[in-house]
Amino acid sequence: MKLLTPSRLVAGAAVALAALGFTVAYTGAGASAAPTAAARKACVHGTALLERNKRNVVAYYTRAFNDKEPEDAVERYVGFDEPGQDLDGSGEPHLYIQHNPLARSGAPAFIEFVRSFTTAFPDVHIDIRRVVAECDLVVTHALATGAVPVYTALGSKVVDIFRLDEHGKIVEHWDVLAAISPTSANGNPEV
């Protein structure tokens, strides 16, 4: 029996290329073979710490937007730079890295944004429907209403992703937002 037949060579090459492609894609996506010490430290395991992180994120968003108290939300739930750092460029000790292209990083910028938004739209309300936590990330799925035309009359569906530090404090934020559709081919709610 021949070990190196043409079909076996092709199959072997295909497996090698697939493995190489996966490695390149995984590495290119920002993955690291060895997470940083801070990332390992902040990655929580166990239900109690994951539930703490979920509670902190929900309380932060509720306090800032629904209660219109962003200063208190930041004071209670936003983390801090390490001494000598200013990772968000805000010039103050809280650490809040923002990935929304319409907002600046930093706790003062968050407070300013919430203040101006809730003043312009006093009926704004964020109804968080789902919360998922893994490692140092918490994801919320919400219905945002009360800010027409920013949110449509039906509201907008919002997914927020928060990264928390080892103390359960928020240090980074990403979000996506889209209008609720007026019709549905399947009859299921979007949020």
Side-chain angles (χ1 to χ4, degrees):
M1 175 172 133
K2 286 177 85 178
L3 290 176
L4 296 177
T5 64
S7 60
R8 286 188 179 151
L9 286 173
V10 169
V15 168
L17 284 174
L20 177 63
F22 175 75
T23 302
V24 169
Y26 185 72
T27 303
S32 169
T36 64
R40 280 192 308 271
K41 192 174 176 183
C43 184
V44 298
H45 301 284
T47 304
L49 293 176
L50 291 171
E51 290 300 319
R52 173 205 65 191
N53 286 356
K54 289 164 59 174
R55 278 191 311 274
N56 286 355
V57 163
V58 170
Y60 169 72
Y61 234 36
T62 300
R63 191 75 178 133
F65 284 94
N66 296 347
D67 299 343
K68 298 169 182 53
E69 294 290 342
E71 296 88 353
D72 187 54
V74 164
E75 192 58 39
R76 290 183 189 201
Y77 303 109
V78 172
F80 293 90
D81 279 313
E82 296 294 324
Q85 292 182 329
D86 187 14
L87 296 177
D88 62 15
S90 67
E92 62 94 50
H94 282 99
L95 172 61
Y96 191 76
I97 299 168
Q98 176 64 262
H99 292 275
N100 181 320
L102 302 177
R104 295 184 336 269
S105 286
F110 174 79
I111 291 167
E112 179 185 318
F113 171 78
V114 173
R115 280 274 164 238
S116 65
F117 195 77
T118 57
T119 298
F121 304 103
D123 295 329
V124 69
H125 184 78
I126 310 295
D127 181 9
I128 298 172
R129 305 278 178 92
R130 287 166 199 81
V131 184
V132 179
E134 179 180 77
C135 196
D136 60 349
L137 299 174
V138 174
V139 179
T140 63
H141 186 213
L143 175 63
T145 57
V148 176
V150 177
Y151 311 144
T152 66
L154 297 174
S156 290
K157 53 196 170 224
V158 183
V159 174
D160 287 283
I161 304 169
F162 297 91
R163 184 174 64 84
L164 290 82
D165 66 15
E166 67 271 16
H167 306 292
K169 302 292 186 173
I170 297 163
V171 294
E172 197 162 6
H173 172 255
W174 299 259
D175 62 5
V176 292
L177 179 136
I180 294 289
S181 303
T183 60
S184 171
N186 57 39
N188 295 322
E190 295 176 76
V191 182

